[in-house]
Amino acid sequence: MSPPVYLDHAATTPVDPRVAAAMAECLTADGVFGNPASAGHVHGEAAFERVEAARAAVAAAVGADPQEVVFTSGATEADNLAIFGVAEHARPRGRHVVTARTEHKAVLDPCRELERRGWQVTYLAPDERGRVAPDRLAAALRADTVLVSLMHVNNEIGTVQDVAAFAAVCERHGGAWLHVDAAQSVGKVALDFHASGAALMSLSAHKSHGPKGVGALLLSRRHGVRIEPRQFGGGQERGLRSGTVATHQVVGMAAAFALAVAARPAEAIRLAALRERLWRGLEAHGGALRNGAPEDTVAAILNVSFADVEGESLLAAVAPRISVSTGSACTSASGEPSYVLRALGRDERLAEASLRFGLGRSTSAEDVDEAIAAVGAALSRLRRIGGGCAIAS
Ligand SMILES: *Cc1c(COP(=O)(O)O)cnc(C)c1O
């Protein structure tokens, strides 16, 4: 059997050797292995300097100031810190939060938890392309709204949202801070924290060919953002995220972000061409419906629903050959049809029979052609044996 085609979700690829080398330097006896919090100690000083250089590099990659960066274990932790941190801090002013149905679970589940604790949450519906209309946001804001959490790039569809328009709405409202989950953005689309107008922003390293288990929350100084910490201890990260900073991890994140930002302009063009090649090939198999519009989705993601085929069988037939998923890694584990596609208006059956193709640094035209052929073979076999009866049920 031929090996699987590596249509790469950035998240499932190995880190770049240059990133790995920078990380390794922070682990071994001849490298920078000290505790960055042990100031005054020679090894500690060296590690501190590496961490601060990484902070500066991460900030530079996303248009932020180094003082605005709080390192975390990933975007999940950053989302949780943002949502609970703002909600707790702003509790005296109000207990209403606005988000969208298409957010990642790392935003939706903290919002559900806030509801259990007595907050009120409004879940905005996106349009059929996955975008939340700024007007809808404006209409949802109330006197007691303290936080709006809306993502930049959707992880399943690739839809890019107009963060600056959301920020303008929040600014007019006056009382609500905008938090943006930008876990998917770095290297896929231009990202500038200050220009975006967001008050808080979550980042993740591994969606940009970096190491897993590291990310950051950005807190805007211009907005004077204040949050309550979630974790207490040594007071690292200005008391907002206690715990020894993982030197090798933040160094890896900084290196990966620098590479991703430098490669972005050329990669966006290369991947857009590959994505259209993939779409044309899949479309030719018949019954393919594209989720999200090409003009407002990142080139690295193509999400397609297939008519007249059963979702689970399609994924089972295709997954051993090509790396695709039906949704995010988290929702496909539950076996539920994607709530993101359902929110875009796809019926349950089509939402189930959908594949998310990720294109990345390692993806070639040959990979794309193999993927087209593999999906085509699976579709014709399944549609033949399905004979329409499974479709009617
Ligand atoms: C992957 C992802 C997350 C979670 O990030 P981790 O770093 O894996 O915790 C959150 N939001 C979005 C949009 C993502 O794609």
Side-chain angles (χ1 to χ4, degrees), residues 74-77 79 104 106 151 153 155 181 183-184 204 206-207 214:
T76 301
E77 188 190 336
D79 287 342
H104 192 276
M151 73 204 312
V153 177
N155 49 301
D181 180 340
Q184 291 284 337
S204 174
H206 72 115
K207 304 298 172 61
V214 60

Side-chain angles (χ1 to χ4, degrees), residues 130-156:
R131 299 168 306 179
V132 169
D135 287 355
R136 287 227 178 156
L137 169 60
L141 294 178
R142 317 190 313 209
D144 62 343
T145 309
V146 292
L147 179 68
V148 171
S149 187
L150 293 170
M151 73 204 312
H152 187 207
V153 177
N154 184 274
N155 49 301
E156 287 188 37

